[in-house]
Structure formats: C-alpha cells, structure tokens
Amino acid sequence: MKQILNSCYRFLTSLRCAVIILLLLAVASILGTLLPQGMTEEGILALYGETSLKARVIILLGLTDLYHSLWFQALIGILAVNISLCTAERFPKTLKLWSHEDKDLHPERLRKFSNFSEFTSQKNLDEVTSQLKNFFNINRWKTLKEINREQRWAGVFTKGQVFLFSVYGVHASVLLILIGAFAGSVLGFKGTMAILEGDSTSVVNLLRKDKIMILPFEIRCDRFYIQFYPDGTPSEYVSEVTILEDGKEVRKAAIKVNDPLTYRDVSFYQATYGTIIKRAIVNFTDERTNEEIKLELTTESEEVIPGKNAVVQLMDYREEFGGFGPAIAIGMLEEGKEPQASWILVKHPNFHGNRIGDYRVAVLDVEPTYYTGLQVKRDPGVWLVLIGFLGLVVFILATFYGRATKVWCVVEETGNSTKIHVAMKSNKSGLTDENFSNFCIGIEKIL
C-alpha cells in the first residue's frame, strides 16, 4: 500500500502528470469551443435526436456546460495540486542553494568548475585585491563573502540571484489563474435580462439549466434608442438605465455596445433589443349586423366584445410581416366555437385577410415599445486571472532571460607575483561560457 501511495505521489509531482493534464484541458477547451454552451438537455436531444448516442455522451459529460462540469473542475484541481506539490518539494532546495555559505575557498576547489581560469600579475596582493573589488563593484556584483588571510584573499560575488526563484513565480501565477477561473466558475454567473422602457427588474435568466437569479438591486430602463446607418442597419443602440436600491435611485448610466455598466461587481452589457406591442386600438365590424365596435387591446388581459359572447386579446406584434409592414396577432374565444387567431395588417385596413370569425378587423392605432436585451455577468475571479496572467508573462521572461551567476575568486601571493584564481557558475549553463570569457577579458584588462 505504501509503495502504491509513493508511486501516486511521484506521478502527481512529476512533469509528466502536468503535461497530461494540460493536454486534457486543451482537448476539453477545444470541445467547449466547438460545441454550443448553455444548452439544456431538452435542447441537446432536440438538436441531435433523443436516441442519439452523441447526445447521451454530451449530456453525460456535460459538454455543453463544460467549464462548470465536475470533471473539468477536477482536472483544474489536480493541476493545482501538482503545481503546489512540485513547488513545495523543490523550493527548499532552491532556498538552500540561495543561502549556501562557502566556508572553504581555495584554488583546488575552484579548479573543479568547468568555468575556471588563472591569471598572474606582477602587482602585489593588496593592489590586485583592491582592483578586483573595484572591478566587481563597477560591474554591480554583490559581495557575498570576503576572507582575508595571510598572503591570501578570497571573495564570493553574485549577480541576479533573485532569478533562482522566477520559476516559482511562474508556478504562483498559474495557481492564481486556476484559482481565479475556479472562483469565477463556482461563484460567478452569466445570464440575460430583457427590460421594457419604463420597467425595472432584478431577475436574471441564467444561461445554465433554465434557472434564474435575483439580484439584490433592480435595474430600470429609462430610455432605449437606436441609431441607424443610411442603409437601415443599426449603427448603435443605447440603454439609459437607473440602478435602484430599495426603490431609491443610486446610479444612472448609459449602456452601449462594448461600453458596459458595472455595479456591485455585476456587469451589464448591451447585447440585443426588440419590439413588442404595448397596446392597440382595433375596430371590429360584425359582418352579420355591420355593427362596429372599437376596443383597446393589450397583451396583459382579455377584452369582452360588448353585446357578444366573445373575448379577444392582443397576442403578438411584428414590425415586418411578409413585406406588408407591421402586423398584430389577435386571439378570439367565442362561445360555442373553437378558439381562433389571426394576423391583422396594421397599414392595410381593407386587406381581405383582416378578419377573425364573423368580424372584419381594422387597426386604428398601435403603440409598440422597445425592450433592451442585456447580458449580465459576474466573475469574482477575473482580477485574479488578470494578475496571474501578467505575473505569468513577467516570470516566464525572467525564467528564460534572467541569469543567476556566482563567482568565486581567490588571490594569493606567490614569491614575486600574484596568482588570481576565478571560477563562475550560473543557472544558464549555455550562457555561462560566453559570459565567463567576457568576464576573464575584463579581469585581464585591470591586472
């Protein structure tokens, strides 16, 4: 059992585990891009067929709500654990390397380095030591340690040691992104709301599973207007809204496309718009008696035709109906007859099809009104993701281009000359050779 646990731990802390999870997340993200998100189970079955295996697999794996599915969130969690364990395992070694104290400095030890060189100078020990200290100081090397002994001086110098930790900055940035994505997935929401001019609401229709959410405040659409291009296509549509807290106005703003309103971490985006009928004045002519009856109809309630055993109600409105301009839909329920409904052309009162049952119908006036369609979104993890992304860019650049270098230098007086022994080590082995050559050229110039 212990061996199995050790094997699991080694795999969980391995680079192979991280690569596998990243590949799975990449494949899942591609599926999430290709498949429409936010569909209900009924919608999936209607699209692919109730007996379709594809539909069953999509529903089982939650592929149309991918980023909220448990298995996707589990992959993110495993990746976070992998990064955390790798960091916890390797960080003490890096810390030990950073804080390592060189107690024994002598030429024999320095000769074991791949980047090692010796110089001879006719100057005495004090002069050489002074010039070397000045050289390191001018080139911004940090003095880590100095040892002065009889006829020998030794020093340890470093540059860019902070870059030893840049890889942990990458780890921390990725963790921030994962935590931000998880917070947005669990604590955030995305939905829509449609508001008539003059109306207010706090109800958000969530895109997931036909649920709704009630906001702790209301938003009222004071005015909605559209600007058009010469060809008639909309150039801009704007919602002038007011935020209401306990019935009191607390903020007014205009929501435009790409110019959202954010209030209490909830963002409102201008997404769409539409037109509905508010009321219509309609004239009914009973073809049996030529009696004319004028009624005001709404979509909210039925109206009784006086003296007749019939009720009518406004049902729908279209701005353009088959090239004949606007039309309204009226439903009628007459005693002893089946329910009837018909589209009535607004600008063609004498059209032969403007009738319901035994009545000719003419529209005297209509009052359409706009509604604004807002996309509502709350993502508490967005700032974590943003900070994590910026950190990721910075620390990746630091990891690839930053160099932590350490130089050991021993100077000893031998007879009438002075020997200088120098060794260098860097976390970028490929760059150390070139850097060491330039470093040695600089030392030769001062000796």
Side-chain angles (χ1 to χ4, degrees):
M1 186 65 182
K2 185 178 180 181
Q3 188 176 1
I4 295 174
L5 291 175
N6 286 336
S7 299
C8 291
Y9 179 80
R10 284 198 299 273
F11 174 74
L12 202 54
T13 57
S14 66
L15 180 62
R16 184 176 59 174
C17 174
V19 171
I20 291 173
I21 295 172
L22 287 173
L23 287 175
L24 290 174
L25 288 173
V27 172
S29 299
I30 292 172
L31 290 175
T33 303
L34 295 178
L35 294 172
Q37 298 295 293
M39 289 183 68
T40 61
E41 291 186 9
E42 292 77 10
I44 297 169
L45 293 174
L47 181 62
Y48 298 105
E50 294 190 359
T51 58
S52 167
L53 177 62
K54 183 178 180 181
R56 296 295 173 188
V57 171
I58 290 174
I59 293 172
L60 180 64
L61 297 179
L63 295 181
T64 54
D65 193 16
L66 183 71
Y67 305 112
H68 295 92
S69 61
L70 287 177
W71 65 268
F72 187 84
Q73 293 176 346
L75 284 177
I76 292 178
I78 294 172
L79 182 60
V81 170
N82 170 267
I83 294 172
S84 301
L85 290 177
C86 287
T87 302
E89 191 172 79
R90 292 167 175 75
F91 186 78
K93 298 177 183 175
T94 306
L95 192 62
K96 185 178 180 181
L97 178 65
W98 175 75
S99 60
H100 175 71
E101 184 177 354
D102 296 278
K103 298 179 179 178
D104 186 20
L105 289 174
H106 52 80
E108 289 74 21
R109 182 189 166 206
L110 268 55
R111 287 192 181 93
K112 297 177 182 177
F113 286 80
S114 58
N115 289 295
F116 169 77
S117 188
E118 289 181 333
F119 306 90
T120 301
S121 174
Q122 298 305 314
K123 300 175 183 177
N124 62 38
L125 176 66
D126 293 337
E127 286 179 305
V128 172
T129 301
S130 176
Q131 288 177 328
L132 282 175
K133 286 183 179 179
N134 189 45
F135 171 80
F136 283 111
N137 186 45
I138 290 174
N139 289 281
R140 299 181 179 179
W141 288 87
K142 180 182 177 183
T143 304
L144 199 62
K145 185 175 185 179
E146 280 189 76
I147 303 173
N148 275 304
R149 292 180 181 171
E150 187 177 355
Q151 296 184 333
R152 175 183 288 189
W153 172 87
V156 182
F157 303 87
T158 62
K159 185 183 281 188
Q161 288 296 91
V162 69
F163 291 116
L164 290 173
F165 300 96
S166 54
V167 67
Y168 301 107
V170 175
H171 290 186
S173 300
V174 173
L175 282 175
L176 268 183
I177 292 173
L178 295 179
I179 293 171
F182 188 77
S185 174
V186 175
L187 303 177
F189 65 83
K190 188 176 181 181
T192 61
M193 58 169 48
I195 317 174
L196 286 171
E197 278 184 316
D199 282 358
S200 62
T201 184
S202 61
V203 179
V204 180
N205 298 300
L206 299 180
L207 296 181
R208 301 174 54 206
K209 303 184 184 301
D210 289 334
K211 292 182 178 179
I212 64 169
M213 168 172 281
I214 307 298
L215 297 175
F217 56 87
E218 289 186 310
I219 180 168
R220 185 181 66 207
C221 179
D222 298 322
R223 182 180 174 229
F224 178 82
Y225 59 91
I226 312 173
Q227 295 177 342
F228 295 92
Y229 289 113
D231 64 357
T233 57
S235 63
E236 185 178 56
Y237 36 104
V238 180
S239 300
E240 294 180 353
V241 301
T242 300
I243 300 294
L244 304 170
E245 291 259 22
D246 299 325
K248 297 179 181 178
E249 297 182 357
V250 295
R251 184 172 174 183
K252 287 182 175 289
I255 304 174
K256 304 176 184 177
V257 176
N258 298 325
D259 187 11
L261 161 68
T262 300
Y263 181 74
R264 292 177 64 170
D265 295 330
V266 180
S267 296
F268 299 88
Y269 298 83
Q270 184 66 63
T272 185
Y273 68 92
T275 307
I276 64 170
I277 188 72
K278 194 172 183 179
R279 68 184 185 92
I281 307 297
V282 181
N283 191 68
F284 292 87
T285 301
D286 191 334
E287 292 181 318
R288 295 163 295 189
T289 61
N290 282 331
E291 181 183 4
E292 293 188 357
I293 302 164
K294 188 167 71 175
L295 293 176
E296 179 177 327
L297 303 181
T298 68
T299 57
E300 297 175 353
S301 60
E302 299 173 341
E303 293 293 334
V304 177
I305 300 179
K308 314 291 180 181
N309 294 322
V311 295
V312 291
Q313 185 173 6
L314 194 58
M315 300 177 66
D316 202 354
Y317 173 77
R318 290 185 185 176
E319 285 188 300
E320 181 57 50
F321 189 85
F324 292 97
I328 61 173
I330 297 176
M332 172 181 285
L333 183 59
E334 197 169 5
E335 186 176 343
K337 295 183 180 179
E338 292 291 324
Q340 302 176 73
S342 179
W343 282 99
I344 309 298
L345 301 180
V346 174
K347 294 185 177 179
H348 301 276
N350 297 322
F351 179 62
H352 65 85
N354 280 7
R355 62 174 61 248
I356 304 177
D358 296 323
Y359 296 88
R360 282 186 284 109
V361 185
V363 181
L364 304 179
D365 189 25
V366 291
E367 187 180 350
T369 184
Y370 283 117
Y371 69 85
T372 179
L374 302 178
Q375 186 183 83
V376 189
K377 184 178 179 182
R378 180 175 181 270
D379 187 351
V382 66
W383 284 107
L384 290 176
V385 173
L386 181 60
I387 294 171
F389 174 75
L390 293 175
L392 187 63
V393 172
V394 170
F395 287 115
I396 283 179
L397 291 175
T399 301
F400 277 98
Y401 297 104
R403 185 169 53 208
T405 309
K406 199 170 186 179
V407 170
W408 295 263
C409 186
V410 176
V411 181
E412 55 186 2
E413 206 167 52
T414 55
N416 296 327
S417 62
T418 302
K419 284 276 189 182
I420 302 100
H421 312 271
V422 179
M424 175 182 283
K425 189 175 182 181
S426 170
N427 63 337
K428 296 287 189 300
S429 57
L431 296 173
T432 306
D433 296 341
E434 181 182 352
N435 191 40
F436 186 65
S437 299
N438 295 330
F439 178 81
C440 291
I441 292 172
I443 289 184
E444 282 180 329
K445 289 181 179 177
I446 64 171
L447 295 178

